[in-house]
Amino acid sequence: MNSDSGLQVLAELESAFQLRTVQYFVTRRPWLDLYGVNIKPAAPFGSARIIPYVDPALIHRILPDELLLEVFLRLNPYDLGRAACVCRKWRCTLRNPVFWRNACLKTWQLSGVVENYKLLQSKYESSWRKMWLLRPRVRTDGLYVSRNTYIRSGIREWNVTNPVHLVCYFRYMRFYPSGRFLYRNCPQVVKDVVKCMNFHASKEDRVFSGHYSLTDDRVEAAFLYPKPRTLWKVSLRVRGSTIGANNRMDLLSLVTSRVNNDGVIGPEEDVLGATEGLQEDEISRTSHKRGLAPFTFIPFEEVETSILNLPVEKMDYYCPG
């Protein structure tokens, strides 16, 4: 009797122990506590020597941290964002504010160092990286392109009563951090125009140079046509399809007006800052209401693969309206 009761007690204890064990591993799962924890190799038992941590990546073992920092300092901010997605070490390294401070001071150099520091502390919590992501800016690593179309009447043919032709043309703008910009209006696609969008373009390319200013998200730009002397002024609003992209510009207004010869030095004059000194002809002043299509930004590295290089009929399929 005693032996039977003892066996029964042992069986109950064993079943209870098994039940507690199953519940412990099913509910708690202690190995999940190790996720996200960086565990360094432990020293051998009985040894006071500490084994240094060795990065398994070959590039990190060959390339010192000092050289890696020098490489990152020579990259533009957009390449830094791509490099931060490579590995954890690069992401932590690129948290260094020195990279984003240089990018911000170069991008908003027209505001001045003192004004940039004031905005940094008042609006962006002293974070250069947050300032780079949230503050509106004009991108300088590509072209802003606006596609426009209009219908032009053609020559009357035998079988067509009212023939019409769809004309497609583009507005191109390239901005520089110094406050200068280039403008061209032509029917050529972006891969043909990008070659001449520089200050060394010939007169046949009809690339015009002007000045612009950026206030919050508003861009005011102007340049002077040489012949006939016409002042071209435009107002734009910068926005982005995602946070920090700044890859869109809405064309708010476009005004052209004839300018008298008095007070005008030449096409290289800062017409944006000296607009008040120019004598505009109010009769010839024209405010353009049509053709105010928004601008889309295309980086130089994506020029060859842009859909704006397609023929007009295929372009309408990809970009309706």
Side-chain angles (χ1 to χ4, degrees):
M1 186 68 178
N2 294 333
S3 60
D4 295 338
S5 60
L7 293 175
Q8 185 178 0
V9 171
L10 291 176
E12 293 177 356
L13 291 176
E14 184 177 359
S15 61
F17 177 77
Q18 293 178 355
L19 180 60
R20 291 288 299 275
T21 304
V22 171
Q23 291 179 351
Y24 176 81
F25 284 103
V26 171
T27 58
R28 186 177 178 183
R29 297 179 181 178
W31 55 86
L32 296 179
D33 298 338
L34 299 177
Y35 285 180
V37 178
N38 188 10
I39 301 178
K40 296 183 179 180
F45 179 76
S47 175
R49 183 174 58 90
I50 300 177
I51 299 179
Y53 175 72
V54 180
D55 198 322
L58 180 60
I59 187 173
H60 295 160
R61 285 183 285 173
I62 297 177
L63 188 64
D65 294 341
E66 294 78 8
L67 292 181
L68 185 63
L69 184 64
E70 291 295 331
V71 172
F72 287 158
L73 286 174
R74 286 161 174 78
L75 296 180
N76 60 63
Y78 308 100
D79 291 336
L80 291 177
R82 299 186 184 97
C85 301
V86 173
C87 63
R88 184 181 300 177
K89 181 177 180 179
W90 287 20
R91 181 180 180 181
C92 295
T93 304
L94 292 174
R95 290 287 182 176
N96 192 330
V98 67
F99 302 112
W100 310 106
R101 181 188 62 188
N102 296 338
C104 291
L105 294 179
K106 181 180 180 181
T107 301
W108 293 287
Q109 59 182 261
L110 295 178
S111 301
V113 178
V114 178
E115 185 66 23
N116 284 325
Y117 271 94
K118 290 181 179 179
L119 290 175
L120 176 73
Q121 298 175 359
S122 61
K123 291 186 177 181
Y124 304 105
E125 302 175 356
S126 300
S127 174
W128 291 104
R129 184 173 179 271
K130 183 178 294 186
M131 181 178 179
W132 172 261
L133 291 176
L134 302 181
R135 185 180 178 183
R137 65 180 181 275
V138 177
R139 299 189 59 172
T140 59
D141 59 325
L143 300 178
Y144 284 93
V145 187
S146 174
R147 176 179 176 268
N148 306 271
T149 57
Y150 67 93
I151 296 177
R152 183 180 63 184
S153 301
I155 303 175
R156 180 165 180 163
E157 299 178 359
W158 292 100
N159 299 327
V160 181
T161 305
N162 296 317
V164 294
H165 299 279
L166 181 64
V167 179
C168 177
Y169 69 98
F170 302 93
R171 292 191 178 103
Y172 295 96
M173 297 186 72
R174 179 181 179 181
F175 295 90
Y176 292 85
S178 60
R180 303 285 299 279
F181 80 98
L182 299 176
Y183 174 83
R184 187 182 183 187
N185 188 354
C186 66
Q188 297 178 346
V189 295
V190 61
K191 68 178 180 180
D192 298 329
V193 175
V194 70
K195 304 174 183 177
C196 61
M197 289 296 288
N198 53 67
F199 290 105
H200 302 287
S202 60
K203 294 183 178 180
E204 291 77 11
D205 296 326
R206 294 186 63 82
V207 177
F208 301 98
S209 172
H211 294 77
Y212 74 93
S213 64
L214 175 64
T215 305
D216 293 333
D217 62 343
R218 295 291 294 271
V219 177
E220 302 291 337
F223 70 90
L224 193 66
Y225 280 107
K227 295 182 180 180
R229 304 182 73 85
T230 303
L231 182 63
W232 184 92
K233 295 190 295 185
V234 66
S235 179
L236 304 158
R237 181 174 66 91
V238 182
R239 59 183 177 90
S241 56
T242 58
I243 298 177
N246 296 282
N247 55 356
R248 298 290 187 272
M249 272 191 180
D250 295 328
L251 187 54
L252 303 180
S253 64
L254 177 60
V255 179
T256 57
S257 56
R258 295 289 297 273
V259 179
N260 297 332
N261 294 329
D262 299 335
V264 179
I265 299 176
E268 295 298 328
E269 183 185 8
D270 186 1
V271 294
L272 185 62
T275 304
E276 294 79 3
L278 299 179
Q279 299 180 6
E280 302 179 21
D281 190 352
E282 296 293 338
I283 299 177
S284 62
R285 185 173 182 176
T286 305
S287 179
H288 301 269
K289 302 297 183 181
R290 297 183 179 181
L292 300 183
F295 284 81
T296 301
F297 182 77
I298 301 179
F300 290 128
E301 59 187 12
E302 299 179 6
V303 166
E304 295 295 334
T305 59
S306 173
I307 59 175
L308 295 180
N309 296 322
L310 298 173
V312 176
E313 57 274 7
K314 294 185 179 179
M315 195 183 302
D316 291 334
Y317 175 79
Y318 289 100
C319 300

